[in-house]
Amino acid sequence: MDSIKQAVELARAADVHHPGTLSGPPLAADGSLHSSAESQHNEVRLRADHLEANRIVAYGTSGKNGRYYDMLRTQVLQEMDKKSWQFLAVTSPTAGCGKTVTACNLALSISRLPERSVLLVDLDLRRPAVGKYLGISGNGAVLNVLEGRTPLSSAVVQASVGPNRMLVLPGSVSSNSSEWMASQTMGALLQTIKRDFRSRIVIFDLPPLLLGDDVISILPRIDATLLVAGVGSTSVSDIKECQKHLQRTPVVRVVVNKVTETGGPYYGYY
């Protein structure tokens, strides 16, 4: 957990003070959801001006901000390849740290690699924001899949910008987010994603870790975690509390957002 210890030191240096019954779709014999394998998905063209306005900058090769995400991409993929990991969770101690911006930029950066493909899943059932940042209309995609109203293959969209493409499963707001995260149906959804998208790195944008028990409920089903902290948003005690919950989950990197007061999405990582 050396990366978390380094984040603790950075936060200290900054001196920051600051239920119902769930019913899901029927399961297949292997415990996954009934779903067709990867097929033709609805395509959405992302607008560069919308991305830029929302600090999503890693969709192209130009621009100095995007290259920081490319460096993060390379280090994250090296760690995941070493262990044959597929599922990466992106979370933060509290709100306002930039976890969704990081998840979107990392996914777009991976999509630019010629021999890589990525699926970005918005599993923040409290405040889903992937669709807003990318300019995609979600129409309750994740919740529709969990409740059996929409097959996974129909809910996933192909987002493209320039010559690059990635798959996105937009999010949904649920008043039962904690229960869904711990449910057998969620486990079945993850099994289906692992089976039907086995050639892809899957990035899950999760809620903030300390907001409730959503993240700790799903962590045992995830291979590795990327923790996003924010200078001015994250305290030393926040990071130490996260460390307790992440004892059994590999943390591939800790991204420290808002390191400087200028220049948009600059960040450091450990």
Side-chain angles (χ1 to χ4, degrees):
M1 307 292 286
D2 288 344
S3 56
I4 291 184
K5 291 178 182 177
Q6 291 177 353
V8 169
E9 292 304 317
L10 182 59
R12 181 176 287 117
D15 194 26
V16 179
H17 299 291
H18 287 87
T21 301
L22 303 180
S23 60
L27 307 182
D30 63 356
S32 63
L33 301 180
H34 288 287
S35 174
S36 59
E38 281 202 62
S39 56
Q40 199 68 28
H41 301 284
N42 293 329
E43 182 166 355
V44 176
R45 298 288 300 179
L46 305 182
R47 289 172 35 221
D49 60 338
H50 179 89
L51 297 176
E52 292 279 353
N54 286 277
R55 293 166 291 146
I56 309 302
V57 296
Y59 61 88
T61 55
S62 61
K64 58 184 179 182
N65 292 337
R67 75 167 178 264
Y68 294 108
Y69 290 107
D70 292 348
M71 293 168 65
L72 178 65
R73 168 194 72 190
T74 299
Q75 296 192 22
V76 167
L77 289 179
Q78 286 175 348
E79 289 294 319
M80 296 188 71
D81 289 347
K82 199 182 303 180
K83 303 290 180 60
S84 299
W85 289 332
Q86 182 187 9
F87 285 179
L88 176 69
V90 179
T91 186
S92 59
T94 56
C97 295
K99 68 176 180 62
T100 302
V101 169
T102 300
C104 291
N105 275 301
L106 181 59
L108 281 166
S109 181
I110 293 173
S111 76
R112 292 182 10 245
L113 295 175
E115 296 180 356
R116 294 282 188 169
S117 54
V118 62
L119 168 64
L120 175 60
V121 180
D122 193 340
L123 274 189
D124 189 340
L125 301 182
R126 295 175 181 265
R127 293 183 64 183
V130 168
K132 180 188 77 171
Y133 280 107
L134 295 179
I136 294 174
S137 174
N139 296 320
V142 166
L143 199 57
N144 286 341
V145 173
L146 289 171
E147 294 179 344
R149 297 197 298 267
T150 305
L152 177 61
S153 56
S154 299
V156 170
V157 300
Q158 180 172 264
S160 61
V161 53
N164 306 308
R165 292 174 173 80
M166 68 175 180
L167 297 184
V168 181
L169 179 58
S172 318
V173 176
S174 172
S175 58
N176 295 319
S177 65
S178 179
E179 289 81 359
W180 275 122
M181 286 295 203
S183 69
Q184 180 183 5
T185 305
M186 180 63 75
L189 173 59
L190 297 185
Q191 283 189 358
T192 305
I193 290 172
K194 185 176 286 288
R195 180 194 69 202
D196 289 357
F197 302 94
R198 56 187 174 273
S199 65
R200 295 178 180 269
I201 291 291
V202 184
I203 298 175
F204 297 93
D205 182 31
L206 298 182
L209 182 55
L210 303 181
L211 194 63
D213 66 338
D214 296 39
V215 176
I216 61 176
S217 295
I218 204 171
L219 277 181
R221 297 164 170 165
I222 301 295
D223 296 320
T225 301
L226 179 71
L227 183 66
V228 181
V231 173
S233 303
T234 305
S235 67
V236 172
S237 60
D238 289 337
I239 296 174
K240 288 183 175 179
E241 188 66 23
C242 287
Q243 187 175 7
K244 296 177 186 177
H245 296 303
L246 295 170
Q247 294 275 349
R248 300 180 181 178
T249 303
V251 179
V252 292
R253 283 293 179 277
V254 175
V255 171
V256 182
N257 253 326
K258 308 175 185 176
V259 172
T260 64
E261 292 295 322
T262 61
Y266 288 101
Y267 64 83
Y269 55 88
Y270 302 93

